[in-house]
Structure formats: structure tokens, C-alpha cells
Amino acid sequence: MILHTLISYEVLRLVWWLLLGVLLVGFAVMDGFDLGAGMLLPFAGRNDLERRVIINSVGPVWEGNQVWLILGGGAIFAAWPQLYAVSFSGFYIAMFAILVALILRPVAFKFRGKRDEPAWRARWDWALFIGGFVPALIFGVAMGNVLRGVPFRFNPDMHIFYDGTFFGLLNPFALLCGLVSVAMLAMHGAAWLQLKTQGPVAQRARAYGSVAAAATIVLYALAGFALWKFVDGFRVTSALPADGPSNPLLKTVEVHSSAWFANYEAHPWLYVVPGLGLAGALVALLGLRMRAELMTFVASALSIAGIILSVGVSMFPFILPSTIDPRASLTVFDSSSSHLTLFIMLVVTAIFIPIIVAYTSWVYAVLRGKVDAAAISEDRGHAY
């Protein structure tokens, strides 16, 4: 098979680095609003009917939204196997906690309505809260640790060893990033509830969403300051061939206090990316106060995109630095799968991503409009 030679190894690596960012943003935007709605469920809904309205606003779509999580995990596994190995072994307990929380969601959706007892339904409401809060927090903590670097190394046979502990991941900077993630997704959930509900639920969503949007702005700016002032970055000090072998140990790396801002200094236009994170949250805040439903949701989604993409822009070409052996740090150009594998995956992605987008668009078009509380109260056989 010679078709893969039409696209260079360097281009394929860059394309898959960009696609990884797209998939992460897709997951955060599409699944983020139902995680955020889950976090707001015990607060925006004050009685059983109001909480059923919130649940039914996300119930028909949350499973489809998780396709983006599967795509992201699959892309990491196939395109960046070493990144997958370090992440899913070093972050094993954290990943397990996320899976437990995510499993709670479908169980809560199905079992909440099995009994009419208030205590029974309240317990499942808090299960939905946990199913939204825990993944949001841990994904943010993981992102903070990626920026700080992770304690892993290679032996001469290229076996990966992770020398950290779970509690070592719970450092102040990572926890701050976790709070950014929680605030960001709570803002997005509120934007969704404003779009899909009405009456007291939408009113409370606007109130809580305004607080979350303001918190997103403050916490993200604080995280940026902490990254500049207290977190060391990494930079490559030797040749790093863009089409070289996937062997991280062939380069030299040094730790430098301002390395994560070097890309912005070299290309000032890149400040548009973190600026989008701040501006989007600010517009979402204004949209919540003005009751501009669609504008708020779009602005919230753009804020999420800016915040997540700013991590990739800051770290490029690194995708996972090592704190105990900087030379072992993984970069875009030395930790990917083979040229042929990346090409085959790109062909498959080019076929299936448009299908997924088209199907998702059709589903949301069919389900457009607000959730009707009266219809839910009358339809006990089909509504959640």
C-alpha cells in the first residue's frame, strides 16, 4: 500500500494532534452540558417535576454525546499509544473514579422513576450530581497534571514505568484546574438549561450559571497566572525531526520556568486562543443575564474550546512531559503510531466523523424546542 506516502509523516502527526484537540473539545462541549446539568440538578430543580424537566432535557441525548469520549479515548490509543499507556496506568485510580461516576448516570436515569418515594428519588438525584461533578473535577485535575508533568520514565527496552501516586496528582495547581473545569461545565449546563427549559428552572439556571461563568473567568485567569509564576515548563534543546522515529529518548529536554509561554511569545496571535476562553465566558455571563439563549450556549461552547485548546497551544510540541526524566517526555513528533497506521485512521475518520456529525445534527433538530413540564407530568410511561 503506497497511498499513505502521499501525506508525509510530519503532516499526519500534526493532523492527529489537531484531531485530538477537536475530539477533546467535542467531548467537553457535547457531553459537558449534560454533566453540567447533572451538577445543577439538586439546585435548579426544587421539586420532583422540576428535576424531571432537567433530566428530560438531557435524557434523550446524553448517550449519543458520550460517543465523543469513546472517540477521544480510541484516538489516544491508536494514534498515541505511549500517551495512552502512561495516562491509563498512571491515572488508573482517577480513571476508575470517572468510570464509576459515569456508570452512575445511566443507572440513575433508569432507576430514579421506579418508585415515587421522595427519598428514593433524592438519592438518585445526588447520584446524577456525582456523575456530573466527579468527571468534571477529575478531567480538570488530569489536565493540570499534564501541564505540570507526570513522573514516568522508560527503561532501555522502552518499557514505561510510572513512579507517582494517586495523591500526588492532587497538588494545588491541578486542583485549581479541576475547579476551572467544574465551573466551566456548570456554566455550560446552565446555558443548556436556559435553552431547553422555562419558568423557575430556567430562572435558577441563569442565576447559578452567572455565578459559574464569573467563576470560570476568575479561576481560568488565576490558573494562567499560576502557570506563569509557579509551574515550570519544558523545552526541547536538541534536534527533533518531524518525521523521525517514535522514540522519545532520542532528544534532550530541559525544564524552564517560562517554557509554556514560548509559543505565545514567538507567535503573539496565539493569544487569541486563551482570549477566546475568557471572552466566551464573559459573553455567556452577559447572555445569561440578558436571557439570550442561543448566544449564551454558543459563547459557552467557544469558551470551553478556548480553555482546552490553550493547553495544547502552550505545550506544543509536548503532549505529556516527564518530571523525573525530561528526556522521556512525549512529543507530537516522537510518540505517535506508524505512518501507515495514522494514514488508515485518517481515512476511517474522514468517513465516519461526518456521519456522526450528520446523525447528531438530525437528532438535535428532531428534539429542538423546550421541555414541557405539563407534558412530562402527564406522560409517566415514556418520560424520565
Side-chain angles (χ1 to χ4, degrees):
M1 182 176 183
I2 60 173
L3 287 177
H4 71 283
T5 59
L6 298 176
I7 305 178
S8 70
Y9 202 6
E10 175 186 3
V11 170
L12 282 172
R13 282 167 160 169
L14 288 172
V15 166
W16 272 103
W17 176 74
L18 291 171
L19 281 175
L20 180 59
V22 169
L23 293 174
L24 291 176
V25 170
F27 166 66
V29 170
M30 298 303 297
D31 206 29
F33 70 74
D34 54 64
L35 294 176
M39 283 190 279
L40 294 175
L41 177 64
F43 312 105
R46 298 290 174 81
N47 56 51
D48 183 65
L49 180 58
E50 290 178 352
R51 292 181 180 183
R52 289 185 67 200
V53 167
I54 295 172
I55 292 170
N56 279 274
S57 74
V58 298
V61 298
W62 74 269
E63 290 177 290
N65 292 340
Q66 287 201 326
V67 168
W68 294 95
L69 176 61
I70 297 169
L71 289 173
I76 293 174
F77 173 77
W80 313 101
Q82 293 169 330
L83 173 62
Y84 181 90
V86 176
S87 300
F88 283 79
S89 58
F91 298 167
Y92 180 80
I93 297 178
M95 294 295 180
F96 184 79
I98 289 174
L99 288 176
V100 170
L102 292 178
I103 289 170
L104 277 177
R105 287 204 299 170
V107 176
F109 281 134
K110 297 299 182 184
F111 280 84
R112 183 187 185 277
K114 298 297 183 181
R115 295 183 184 177
D116 290 331
E117 292 94 334
W120 169 270
R121 294 192 172 186
R123 283 193 290 269
W124 289 117
D125 290 340
W126 283 106
L128 287 170
F129 168 82
I130 293 170
F133 177 81
V134 171
L137 179 67
I138 294 181
F139 280 129
V141 169
M143 197 67 74
N145 279 287
V146 168
L147 285 164
R148 290 183 73 252
V150 177
F152 71 93
R153 56 186 172 83
F154 292 91
N155 71 2
D157 296 325
M158 294 300 293
H159 292 165
I160 299 173
F161 294 87
Y162 179 82
D163 294 337
T165 64
F166 170 74
F167 292 102
L169 300 175
L170 304 179
N171 54 80
F173 178 73
L175 290 173
L176 175 59
C177 292
L179 293 177
V180 173
S181 179
V182 169
M184 174 181 77
L185 296 187
M187 170 187 69
H188 200 44
W192 172 259
L193 292 180
Q194 178 183 241
L195 183 66
K196 294 293 291 183
T197 67
Q198 52 193 342
V201 173
Q203 184 177 353
R204 294 189 198 104
R206 282 190 286 269
Y208 287 114
S210 298
V211 174
T216 299
I217 296 170
V218 173
L219 291 171
Y220 181 52
L222 185 60
F225 175 78
L227 184 67
W228 170 64
K229 196 71 174 178
F230 304 110
V231 178
D232 291 332
F234 297 74
R235 63 184 180 188
V236 179
T237 57
S238 64
L240 183 63
D243 58 351
S246 290
N247 185 346
L249 300 181
L250 299 179
K251 66 180 181 301
T252 57
V253 176
E254 70 173 9
V255 179
H256 194 274
S257 60
S258 61
W260 286 158
F261 291 85
N263 289 333
Y264 296 107
E265 294 173 1
H267 308 284
W269 63 270
L270 289 174
Y271 279 110
V272 170
V273 179
L276 182 64
L278 292 171
L282 178 59
V283 174
L285 173 60
L286 296 175
L288 286 164
R289 307 310 298 172
M290 296 166 54
R291 304 189 179 189
E293 298 172 355
L294 184 59
M295 182 187 81
T296 302
F297 189 77
V298 172
S300 177
L302 291 175
S303 177
I304 290 173
I307 290 172
I308 292 176
L309 294 178
S310 66
V311 176
V313 169
S314 299
M315 294 180 61
F316 184 83
F318 290 91
I319 52 177
L320 187 64
S322 170
T323 55
I324 59 175
D325 184 8
R327 184 180 59 140
S329 300
L330 307 180
T331 74
V332 173
F333 302 116
D334 64 12
S335 60
S336 72
S337 293
S338 68
H339 190 173
L340 179 59
T341 299
L342 295 182
F343 177 78
I344 293 173
M345 288 174 55
L346 184 61
V347 172
V348 173
T349 300
I351 295 172
F352 285 100
I353 287 292
I355 294 174
I356 293 171
V357 171
Y359 170 76
T360 302
S361 301
W362 175 77
V363 169
Y364 280 90
V366 170
L367 296 173
R368 65 186 179 276
K370 294 185 181 292
V371 178
D372 191 314
I376 289 176
S377 64
E378 295 171 2
D379 185 6
R380 295 187 175 272
H382 298 89
Y384 287 99

